[in-house]
Coordinates of all heavy atoms in Angstrom, one line a residue:
M6 N -52.5 158.8 0.0 CA -52.7 158.7 -1.5 C -53.1 157.3 -2.0 O -53.4 157.1 -3.2 CB -51.3 159.0 -2.2 CG -51.0 160.4 -2.0 SD -51.4 161.0 -3.6 CE -50.8 162.5 -3.6
S7 N -53.3 156.4 -1.0 CA -53.8 155.0 -1.5 C -55.1 155.1 -2.2 O -55.4 154.2 -3.0 CB -53.8 154.1 -0.3 OG -54.8 154.4 0.6
F8 N -55.9 156.0 -1.9 CA -57.3 156.2 -2.5 C -57.2 156.3 -4.0 O -58.1 156.0 -4.8 CB -58.2 157.3 -1.9 CG -57.6 158.6 -2.1 CD1 -58.0 159.3 -3.2 CD2 -56.8 159.2 -1.1 CE1 -57.6 160.7 -3.3 CE2 -56.3 160.5 -1.3 CZ -56.7 161.3 -2.2
L9 N -56.0 157.0 -4.5 CA -55.8 157.1 -5.9 C -55.7 155.8 -6.7 O -55.8 155.7 -7.9 CB -54.7 158.1 -6.2 CG -54.8 159.5 -5.6 CD1 -53.5 160.3 -5.9 CD2 -56.0 160.2 -6.4
F10 N -55.1 154.8 -6.0 CA -54.8 153.6 -6.6 C -55.7 152.4 -6.2 O -55.4 151.4 -6.3 CB -53.3 153.2 -6.3 CG -52.3 154.3 -6.8 CD1 -51.8 155.1 -5.8 CD2 -52.1 154.5 -8.0 CE1 -50.9 156.0 -6.3 CE2 -51.2 155.5 -8.5 CZ -50.6 156.3 -7.5
G11 N -56.9 152.8 -5.9 CA -57.9 151.7 -5.6 C -58.0 151.2 -4.2 O -58.8 150.5 -3.8
G12 N -57.1 151.8 -3.3 CA -57.0 151.3 -1.9 C -58.1 152.2 -1.1 O -58.6 153.1 -1.6
R13 N -58.4 151.6 0.1 CA -59.2 152.4 1.0 C -58.5 153.4 1.6 O -57.4 153.3 2.0 CB -59.8 151.5 2.0 CG -60.8 150.3 1.4 CD -61.2 149.3 2.4 NE -62.5 150.1 2.9 CZ -63.1 149.7 4.0 NH1 -62.8 148.7 4.6 NH2 -64.2 150.3 4.4
P14 N -59.2 154.6 1.8 CA -58.5 155.7 2.5 C -58.3 155.4 4.0 O -59.2 154.7 4.5 CB -59.5 156.9 2.4 CG -60.7 156.4 1.9 CD -60.4 155.1 1.2
Q15 N -57.2 155.8 4.6 CA -57.0 155.5 6.0 C -57.9 156.4 6.8 O -58.1 157.6 6.6 CB -55.5 155.8 6.3 CG -54.6 154.9 5.6 CD -54.8 153.4 6.0 OE1 -54.9 153.1 7.0 NE2 -54.7 152.6 4.9
L16 N -58.4 155.8 7.9 CA -59.2 156.7 8.8 C -58.4 157.3 9.8 O -57.4 156.7 10.3 CB -60.3 155.7 9.5 CG -61.3 154.9 8.7 CD1 -62.1 154.0 9.5 CD2 -62.1 155.9 7.9
S17 N -58.8 158.5 10.4 CA -58.1 159.2 11.4 C -58.5 158.6 12.8 O -59.5 157.8 12.9 CB -58.5 160.6 11.4 OG -59.9 160.8 11.8
S18 N -57.8 158.9 13.7 CA -58.1 158.4 15.1 C -59.5 158.7 15.5 O -60.2 157.9 16.0 CB -57.1 158.9 16.0 OG -55.7 158.4 15.8
A19 N -60.0 159.9 15.2 CA -61.3 160.3 15.6 C -62.3 159.5 14.9 O -63.3 159.1 15.4 CB -61.5 161.8 15.2
E20 N -62.1 159.2 13.6 CA -63.0 158.4 12.7 C -63.1 157.0 13.3 O -64.2 156.4 13.3 CB -62.6 158.4 11.3 CG -62.9 159.8 10.6 CD -62.3 159.9 9.2 OE1 -61.2 159.3 9.0 OE2 -62.9 160.5 8.4
K21 N -61.9 156.5 13.7 CA -61.8 155.0 14.3 C -62.7 155.0 15.6 O -63.4 154.1 15.8 CB -60.4 154.6 14.4 CG -59.7 154.3 13.1 CD -58.2 154.0 13.4 CE -57.5 153.8 12.2 NZ -56.0 153.5 12.5
I22 N -62.4 156.1 16.4 CA -63.2 156.2 17.6 C -64.6 156.2 17.4 O -65.4 155.4 18.0 CB -62.7 157.3 18.6 CG1 -61.3 156.9 19.0 CG2 -63.5 157.5 19.7 CD1 -60.5 158.1 19.6
A23 N -65.0 157.1 16.5 CA -66.5 157.2 16.2 C -67.0 155.9 15.6 O -68.2 155.6 16.0 CB -66.7 158.3 15.1
A24 N -66.4 155.1 14.7 CA -66.7 153.9 14.3 C -66.9 152.9 15.3 O -67.9 152.1 15.3 CB -65.7 153.4 13.1
A25 N -65.9 152.8 16.4 CA -66.0 152.0 17.4 C -67.3 152.2 18.2 O -67.9 151.3 18.7 CB -64.7 151.9 18.2
E26 N -67.5 153.5 18.6 CA -68.6 153.9 19.4 C -69.9 153.4 18.7 O -70.9 153.0 19.4 CB -68.5 155.4 19.6 CG -67.4 155.8 20.7 CD -67.4 157.3 20.7 OE1 -67.9 158.0 19.9 OE2 -66.7 157.8 21.7
T27 N -69.9 153.7 17.4 CA -71.2 153.4 16.7 C -71.4 151.8 16.7 O -72.5 151.4 16.9 CB -71.1 153.8 15.2 OG1 -70.9 155.1 15.2 CG2 -72.4 153.4 14.4
E28 N -70.4 151.1 16.7 CA -70.4 149.6 16.7 C -70.9 149.2 18.1 O -71.7 148.3 18.2 CB -69.2 148.9 16.3 CG -69.3 147.4 16.2 CD -68.0 146.8 15.7 OE1 -67.1 147.5 15.3 OE2 -68.0 145.5 15.7
V29 N -70.4 149.8 19.1 CA -70.8 149.4 20.5 C -72.2 149.7 20.7 O -73.1 148.9 21.3 CB -69.9 150.2 21.6 CG1 -70.5 150.0 23.0 CG2 -68.5 149.6 21.6
E30 N -72.7 150.9 20.2 CA -74.1 151.2 20.3 C -75.0 150.3 19.6 O -76.1 149.8 20.1 CB -74.3 152.6 19.7 CG -73.8 153.7 20.7 CD -74.0 155.1 20.0 OE1 -74.7 155.2 19.0 OE2 -73.4 156.1 20.5
M31 N -74.6 149.8 18.4 CA -75.4 148.9 17.6 C -75.4 147.5 18.3 O -76.5 146.9 18.3 CB -74.8 148.8 16.1 CG -75.0 149.9 15.3 SD -74.2 149.9 13.8 CE -74.3 148.2 13.2
V32 N -74.4 147.1 18.9 CA -74.4 145.7 19.6 C -75.3 145.9 20.9 O -76.0 145.0 21.1 CB -73.0 145.3 20.0 CG1 -72.9 144.1 20.9 CG2 -72.2 145.0 18.6
S33 N -75.1 147.0 21.5 CA -76.0 147.2 22.7 C -77.4 147.2 22.3 O -78.3 146.5 23.1 CB -75.6 148.5 23.5 OG -74.3 148.4 23.8
D34 N -77.7 147.9 21.4 CA -79.1 147.9 20.9 C -79.7 146.5 20.5 O -80.7 146.2 20.8 CB -79.3 148.9 19.7 CG -80.7 148.9 19.2 OD1 -81.6 149.2 20.0 OD2 -80.9 148.5 18.0
M35 N -78.8 145.8 19.7 CA -79.2 144.4 19.4 C -79.4 143.5 20.7 O -80.5 142.9 20.8 CB -78.2 143.8 18.5 CG -78.6 142.4 18.0 SD -77.3 141.5 17.0 CE -76.2 141.2 18.3
M36 N -78.5 143.6 21.6 CA -78.7 142.8 22.8 C -79.9 143.2 23.6 O -80.6 142.4 24.2 CB -77.4 143.0 23.7 CG -76.3 142.2 23.2 SD -76.6 140.5 22.9 CE -76.8 139.9 24.7
N37 N -80.3 144.5 23.7 CA -81.5 145.0 24.4 C -82.8 144.5 23.7 O -83.7 144.0 24.3 CB -81.4 146.5 24.4 CG -80.5 147.0 25.4 OD1 -80.1 146.4 26.4 ND2 -80.0 148.3 25.2
R38 N -82.7 144.5 22.4 CA -83.9 144.0 21.6 C -84.1 142.5 22.0 O -85.1 142.0 22.0 CB -83.8 144.3 20.1 CG -84.0 145.9 19.9 CD -84.1 146.2 18.4 NE -82.7 146.0 17.8 CZ -82.4 145.2 16.9 NH1 -83.4 144.4 16.2 NH2 -81.2 145.2 16.3
L39 N -82.9 141.9 21.8 CA -82.9 140.3 22.1 C -83.4 140.0 23.5 O -84.3 139.2 23.5 CB -81.5 139.7 21.9 CG -81.2 138.4 22.4 CD1 -81.7 137.4 21.5 CD2 -79.8 138.1 22.7
I40 N -83.0 140.7 24.5 CA -83.4 140.4 25.9 C -84.9 140.7 26.0 O -85.7 140.0 26.5 CB -82.6 141.3 26.8 CG1 -81.1 140.7 26.9 CG2 -83.2 141.3 28.2 CD1 -80.1 141.6 27.5
Q41 N -85.3 141.9 25.4 CA -86.7 142.3 25.6 C -87.6 141.3 24.8 O -88.6 140.8 25.4 CB -87.0 143.7 25.0 CG -86.8 144.8 25.8 CD -87.2 146.1 25.1 OE1 -87.1 146.2 24.0 NE2 -87.7 147.1 25.9
S42 N -87.3 140.9 23.7 CA -88.1 140.0 22.8 C -88.3 138.7 23.4 O -89.3 138.1 23.6 CB -87.5 139.9 21.5 OG -88.2 139.1 20.7
C43 N -87.0 138.0 23.8 CA -87.1 136.6 24.4 C -87.6 136.7 25.7 O -88.2 135.6 26.1 CB -85.7 136.1 24.2 SG -85.2 135.8 22.4
T44 N -87.4 137.7 26.6 CA -88.0 137.6 27.9 C -89.5 137.7 27.8 O -90.2 137.0 28.5 CB -87.5 138.8 28.7 OG1 -86.0 138.6 28.8 CG2 -88.0 138.7 30.1
K45 N -89.9 138.5 27.0 CA -91.4 138.8 26.8 C -92.0 137.5 26.3 O -93.1 137.1 26.8 CB -91.7 139.9 25.9 CG -93.2 140.2 25.7 CD -93.2 141.4 24.7 CE -94.8 141.7 24.4 NZ -95.0 142.8 23.5
K46 N -91.4 136.7 25.4 CA -91.9 135.5 24.8 C -91.8 134.4 25.7 O -92.8 133.5 25.8 CB -91.2 135.2 23.5 CG -91.6 134.0 22.8 CD -90.8 133.8 21.6 CE -91.3 132.5 20.8 NZ -90.6 132.2 19.6
C47 N -90.7 134.2 26.5 CA -90.4 132.9 27.1 C -90.7 133.0 28.8 O -90.7 131.9 29.4 CB -89.0 132.5 26.8 SG -88.6 132.3 25.1
I48 N -90.6 134.2 29.3 CA -90.7 134.2 30.8 C -91.9 135.0 31.2 O -92.2 136.0 30.9 CB -89.5 134.9 31.4 CG1 -88.2 134.1 31.0 CG2 -89.6 134.9 32.9 CD1 -87.0 134.8 31.5
P49 N -92.9 134.2 31.9 CA -94.1 134.9 32.3 C -93.9 136.0 33.3 O -93.0 135.9 34.1 CB -95.0 133.7 32.9 CG -94.0 132.6 33.2 CD -92.9 132.9 32.4
P50 N -94.7 137.1 33.3 CA -94.4 138.2 34.2 C -94.7 137.8 35.6 O -94.1 138.6 36.5 CB -95.5 139.2 33.7 CG -96.5 138.5 32.9 CD -95.8 137.3 32.4
D51 N -95.4 136.7 36.0 CA -95.7 136.5 37.2 C -94.9 135.3 37.8 O -95.4 134.2 38.4 CB -97.1 136.2 37.5 CG -97.7 135.0 36.6 OD1 -97.0 134.8 35.6 OD2 -98.7 134.5 36.9
Y52 N -93.6 135.3 37.4 CA -92.8 134.1 37.8 C -92.7 134.0 39.3 O -92.7 134.9 40.0 CB -91.3 134.2 37.2 CG -90.6 135.4 37.6 CD1 -89.7 135.4 38.6 CD2 -90.6 136.6 36.7 CE1 -89.0 136.4 39.0 CE2 -90.0 137.7 37.2 CZ -89.0 137.6 38.2 OH -88.4 138.7 38.6
R53 N -92.6 132.7 39.7 CA -92.5 132.5 41.1 C -91.2 131.8 41.6 O -91.0 131.6 42.9 CB -93.7 131.4 41.6 CG -95.0 132.1 41.4 CD -96.1 131.0 41.5 NE -97.5 131.5 41.6 CZ -98.1 132.1 40.5 NH1 -97.5 132.0 39.3 NH2 -99.4 132.5 40.6
E54 N -90.3 131.4 40.8 CA -89.1 130.8 41.1 C -87.8 131.7 40.5 O -88.0 132.5 39.7 CB -88.9 129.4 40.5 CG -90.0 128.4 40.8 CD -90.0 127.2 39.9 OE1 -88.9 127.0 39.3 OE2 -90.9 126.5 40.0
A55 N -86.8 131.6 41.4 CA -85.6 132.5 41.0 C -84.9 131.8 39.8 O -84.3 132.6 39.0 CB -84.7 132.5 42.2
D56 N -85.0 130.5 39.7 CA -84.3 129.8 38.5 C -85.3 129.6 37.4 O -86.5 129.4 37.7 CB -83.6 128.6 39.0 CG -82.6 128.7 40.0 OD1 -81.9 129.7 40.0 OD2 -82.4 127.9 40.9
L57 N -84.7 129.4 36.2 CA -85.5 129.2 35.0 C -86.0 127.7 35.0 O -85.2 126.9 35.5 CB -84.8 129.4 33.8 CG -84.4 130.8 33.4 CD1 -83.5 130.8 32.1 CD2 -85.6 131.6 33.2
N58 N -87.2 127.4 34.7 CA -87.6 126.0 34.6 C -87.2 125.4 33.2 O -86.7 126.2 32.3 CB -89.1 125.7 34.9 CG -90.0 126.5 33.9 OD1 -89.6 126.5 32.7 ND2 -91.0 126.9 34.4
K59 N -87.3 124.2 33.0 CA -86.9 123.6 31.7 C -87.5 124.1 30.5 O -86.8 124.5 29.5 CB -87.2 122.1 31.8 CG -86.8 121.3 30.6 CD -85.4 121.0 30.6 CE -85.0 120.1 29.4 NZ -83.6 119.8 29.3
G60 N -88.8 124.4 30.5 CA -89.5 125.0 29.4 C -89.1 126.3 29.0 O -88.8 126.8 28.0
E61 N -88.8 127.2 30.1 CA -88.2 128.6 29.8 C -86.9 128.5 29.3 O -86.5 129.4 28.4 CB -88.4 129.4 31.2 CG -89.7 129.6 31.7 CD -89.7 130.1 33.3 OE1 -88.8 129.9 34.0 OE2 -90.8 130.7 33.7
S62 N -86.1 127.6 29.9 CA -84.8 127.6 29.3 C -84.7 127.2 28.0 O -84.0 127.7 27.1 CB -83.9 126.6 30.3 OG -82.6 126.5 29.8
V63 N -85.4 126.1 27.5 CA -85.5 125.8 26.1 C -86.1 126.8 25.3 O -85.5 127.0 24.2 CB -86.2 124.5 26.1 CG1 -86.6 124.2 24.5 CG2 -85.6 123.3 26.7
C64 N -87.1 127.5 25.7 CA -87.7 128.7 24.9 C -86.7 129.7 24.7 O -86.6 130.2 23.6 CB -88.9 129.1 25.7 SG -89.8 130.5 24.8
L65 N -85.9 130.1 25.7 CA -84.9 131.2 25.6 C -83.8 130.7 24.7 O -83.4 131.5 23.8 CB -84.3 131.6 27.0 CG -85.2 132.3 27.9 CD1 -84.7 132.5 29.3 CD2 -85.4 133.8 27.3
D66 N -83.5 129.4 24.7 CA -82.3 129.0 23.9 C -82.7 129.0 22.4 O -82.1 129.6 21.5 CB -82.0 127.6 24.3 CG -80.9 127.0 23.4 OD1 -79.8 127.7 23.4 OD2 -80.9 125.9 23.0
R67 N -83.9 128.6 22.1 CA -84.5 128.7 20.8 C -84.6 130.0 20.3 O -84.4 130.4 19.2 CB -85.8 127.9 20.6 CG -85.7 126.4 20.8 CD -86.9 125.7 20.5 NE -86.8 124.3 20.8 CZ -87.7 123.4 21.0 NH1 -89.0 123.9 21.3 NH2 -87.4 122.1 21.1
C68 N -85.2 130.9 21.2 CA -85.4 132.3 20.8 C -84.2 133.0 20.4 O -84.1 133.7 19.5 CB -86.2 132.9 22.0 SG -86.6 134.8 21.6
V69 N -83.2 132.8 21.2 CA -81.8 133.4 20.9 C -81.2 133.0 19.7 O -80.8 133.7 18.9 CB -80.9 133.3 22.1 CG1 -79.4 133.7 21.9 CG2 -81.4 134.0 23.3
S70 N -81.4 131.6 19.5 CA -80.8 131.1 18.2 C -81.5 131.7 17.0 O -80.8 132.0 16.0 CB -81.1 129.6 18.3 OG -80.5 128.9 17.1
K71 N -82.9 131.7 17.0 CA -83.7 132.3 16.0 C -83.3 133.8 15.7 O -83.3 134.2 14.7 CB -85.1 132.1 16.2 CG -85.6 130.7 16.0 CD -87.0 130.5 16.2 CE -87.5 129.1 16.2 NZ -88.9 129.0 16.5
F72 N -83.1 134.5 16.8 CA -82.9 135.9 16.7 C -81.6 136.2 16.0 O -81.5 136.9 15.0 CB -82.7 136.6 18.1 CG -82.6 138.0 18.1 CD1 -83.8 138.8 18.3 CD2 -81.4 138.7 18.1 CE1 -83.7 140.2 18.3 CE2 -81.3 140.0 18.1 CZ -82.4 140.8 18.2
F73 N -80.5 135.4 16.4 CA -79.2 135.5 15.7 C -79.2 135.0 14.2 O -78.7 135.6 13.4 CB -78.1 134.9 16.5 CG -77.6 135.7 17.6 CD1 -77.8 135.3 19.0 CD2 -77.0 136.9 17.4 CE1 -77.3 136.0 20.0 CE2 -76.6 137.7 18.5 CZ -76.7 137.3 19.8
E74 N -80.0 134.0 14.0 CA -80.2 133.5 12.6 C -80.7 134.4 11.7 O -80.3 134.7 10.6 CB -80.9 132.2 12.6 CG -81.0 131.4 11.3 CD -81.9 130.2 11.4 OE1 -81.8 129.5 12.5 OE2 -82.6 130.0 10.5
V75 N -81.8 135.2 12.2 CA -82.4 136.1 11.5 C -81.5 137.3 11.3 O -81.5 137.9 10.1 CB -83.9 136.6 12.0 CG1 -84.3 137.8 11.4 CG2 -84.8 135.4 11.9
N76 N -80.9 137.8 12.3 CA -79.9 138.9 12.2 C -79.0 138.7 11.2 O -78.6 139.6 10.4 CB -79.4 139.1 13.6 CG -78.6 140.4 13.7 OD1 -78.8 141.4 12.9 ND2 -77.8 140.6 14.7
I77 N -78.3 137.5 11.1 CA -77.2 137.1 10.1 C -77.8 137.2 8.7 O -77.2 137.8 7.8 CB -76.7 135.7 10.5 CG1 -75.8 135.9 11.7 CG2 -75.9 135.3 9.2 CD1 -75.4 134.5 12.2
K78 N -79.1 136.6 8.5 CA -79.7 136.7 7.3 C -80.0 138.1 6.7 O -79.8 138.5 5.6 CB -81.0 135.9 7.2 CG -80.7 134.3 7.2 CD -82.1 133.5 7.2 CE -81.8 132.1 7.3 NZ -82.9 131.3 7.2
V79 N -80.5 138.8 7.6 CA -80.8 140.3 7.3 C -79.5 141.1 6.9 O -79.4 141.7 6.0 CB -81.6 141.0 8.4 CG1 -81.6 142.4 8.1 CG2 -82.9 140.4 8.5
S80 N -78.4 140.9 7.7 CA -77.1 141.5 7.4 C -76.6 141.0 6.1 O -76.1 141.9 5.3 CB -76.2 141.1 8.6 OG -76.5 141.6 9.7
E81 N -76.6 139.8 5.8 CA -76.2 139.3 4.5 C -77.0 139.8 3.3 O -76.4 140.3 2.4 CB -76.2 137.7 4.5 CG -75.2 137.1 5.4 CD -75.3 135.6 5.4 OE1 -76.5 135.0 4.9 OE2 -74.4 134.9 6.0
K82 N -78.2 140.0 3.5 CA -79.2 140.6 2.5 C -78.7 142.0 2.3 O -78.7 142.4 1.1 CB -80.5 140.4 2.9 CG -81.6 141.1 1.9 CD -82.1 140.0 0.9 CE -83.3 140.7 0.3 NZ -83.3 140.2 -1.2
M83 N -78.6 142.8 3.4 CA -78.3 144.2 3.3 C -76.9 144.3 2.7 O -76.7 145.3 1.8 CB -78.4 144.9 4.5 CG -79.8 145.0 5.1 SD -79.9 145.7 6.7 CE -79.4 147.3 6.5
Q84 N -75.8 143.5 2.9 CA -74.6 143.6 2.3 C -74.6 143.3 0.9 O -74.0 144.0 0.1 CB -73.7 142.7 3.1 CG -73.2 143.2 4.5 CD -72.4 142.2 5.2 OE1 -72.1 141.1 4.8 NE2 -71.9 142.6 6.5
G85 N -75.4 142.3 0.5 CA -75.5 141.9 -0.8 C -76.1 143.1 -1.7 O -75.7 143.4 -2.8
E86 N -77.2 143.7 -1.2 CA -77.8 144.8 -1.9 C -77.0 146.0 -1.9 O -76.9 146.7 -3.0 CB -79.1 145.2 -1.1 CG -80.2 144.2 -1.3 CD -81.6 144.6 -0.8 OE1 -81.6 145.6 -0.1 OE2 -82.5 143.8 -0.7
A87 N -76.2 146.2 -0.9 CA -75.2 147.4 -0.9 C -74.2 147.1 -1.9 O -73.8 148.0 -2.7 CB -74.6 147.6 0.5
A88 N -73.6 145.8 -2.0 CA -72.6 145.6 -3.0 C -73.3 145.7 -4.5 O -72.5 146.2 -5.4 CB -72.2 144.3 -2.7
G89 N -74.5 145.3 -4.5 CA -75.2 145.4 -5.9 C -75.3 147.0 -6.4 O -75.2 147.2 -7.5
R90 N -75.6 147.7 -5.3 CA -75.8 149.1 -5.7 C -74.4 149.8 -6.1 O -74.4 150.6 -7.0 CB -76.4 149.9 -4.5 CG -77.9 149.7 -4.4 CD -78.5 150.6 -3.4 NE -77.8 150.7 -2.1 CZ -78.4 149.9 -1.1 NH1 -79.4 149.1 -1.3 NH2 -77.8 149.9 0.1
Q91 N -73.4 149.2 -5.4 CA -72.1 149.9 -5.7 C -71.7 149.4 -7.1 O -71.1 150.2 -7.9 CB -71.0 149.4 -4.8 CG -70.9 150.2 -3.6 CD -69.7 149.8 -2.7 OE1 -69.4 148.6 -2.6 NE2 -69.1 150.7 -1.9
A92 N -71.9 148.1 -7.5 CA -71.4 147.6 -8.8 C -72.4 148.1 -9.8 O -71.9 148.3 -11.0 CB -71.6 146.1 -8.6
G93 N -73.7 148.3 -9.6 CA -74.6 148.9 -10.6 C -74.8 150.4 -10.5 O -75.6 150.8 -11.3
G94 N -74.1 151.1 -9.9 CA -74.0 152.5 -10.0 C -75.2 153.2 -9.1 O -75.4 154.3 -9.1
G95 N -75.7 152.4 -8.1 CA -76.5 152.9 -7.1 C -77.8 153.2 -7.5 O -78.6 153.9 -6.8
M96 N -78.3 152.5 -8.5 CA -79.8 152.8 -8.9 C -80.6 151.6 -8.7 O -81.8 151.6 -9.3 CB -79.8 153.2 -10.4 CG -79.2 154.6 -10.5 SD -80.1 155.9 -9.5 CE -79.8 157.3 -10.5
G97 N -80.2 150.6 -8.1 CA -80.8 149.3 -8.0 C -82.1 149.2 -7.2 O -83.1 148.6 -7.5
F98 N -82.0 149.9 -6.0 CA -83.1 149.9 -5.1 C -83.6 148.6 -4.7 O -84.8 148.4 -4.4 CB -84.3 150.8 -5.5 CG -83.9 152.3 -5.6 CD1 -83.8 152.8 -6.9 CD2 -83.6 153.0 -4.6 CE1 -83.4 154.2 -7.0 CE2 -83.2 154.4 -4.7 CZ -83.1 155.0 -6.0
G99 N -82.7 147.6 -4.6 CA -83.0 146.3 -4.2 C -83.8 145.5 -5.3 O -84.3 144.3 -4.9
M100 N -83.9 145.9 -6.5 CA -84.7 145.1 -7.5 C -83.8 144.5 -8.5 O -82.9 145.0 -8.9 CB -85.9 145.9 -8.1 CG -86.7 146.3 -7.2 SD -88.0 147.4 -8.0 CE -89.0 147.9 -6.5

């Protein structure tokens, strides 16, 4: 009954499991995109050494940093727009 007094409704076990599975899928997808993007950008397809050289290592470090920075900015923007839609009645469409 907490939803009647402004509280969030309690999730059932099945809903909690579904939410956790969705979160794992989202994190896995993000990691796969990160690996694909930064590998394509920083490591040549015809590598000859088992270890990364200095340039590849620096490139990967910067690529990962930028990827997470952009991911955080996009998440914050989406959360702000969602909060604006909730406060404004859902008709804002980001404008």
Side-chain angles (χ1 to χ4, degrees):
M6 286 259 190
S7 65
F8 65 90
L9 293 176
F10 302 106
R13 297 182 78 186
Q15 296 296 317
L16 298 176
S17 69
S18 292
E20 290 171 325
K21 289 178 183 178
I22 291 170
E26 288 173 345
T27 301
E28 187 172 353
V29 167
E30 288 175 14
M31 289 171 45
V32 170
S33 295
D34 178 58
M35 182 184 68
M36 287 302 299
N37 288 333
R38 287 185 289 120
L39 168 76
I40 291 167
Q41 272 186 329
S42 175
C43 291
T44 299
K45 183 177 179 181
K46 180 179 179 182
C47 298
I48 301 174
D51 59 340
Y52 60 90
R53 292 174 174 74
E54 301 173 13
D56 295 330
L57 295 173
N58 65 35
K59 179 78 172 176
E61 293 166 342
S62 181
V63 169
C64 181
L65 285 170
D66 185 49
R67 288 181 181 163
C68 183
V69 169
S70 178
K71 288 178 183 179
F72 188 93
F73 280 115
E74 186 178 321
V75 168
N76 191 18
I77 289 169
K78 286 181 180 181
V79 169
S80 295
E81 288 172 351
K82 176 95 171 145
M83 290 176 68
Q84 287 175 354
E86 287 181 4
R90 282 193 302 266
Q91 272 187 334
M96 294 298 203
F98 296 110
M100 293 182 185

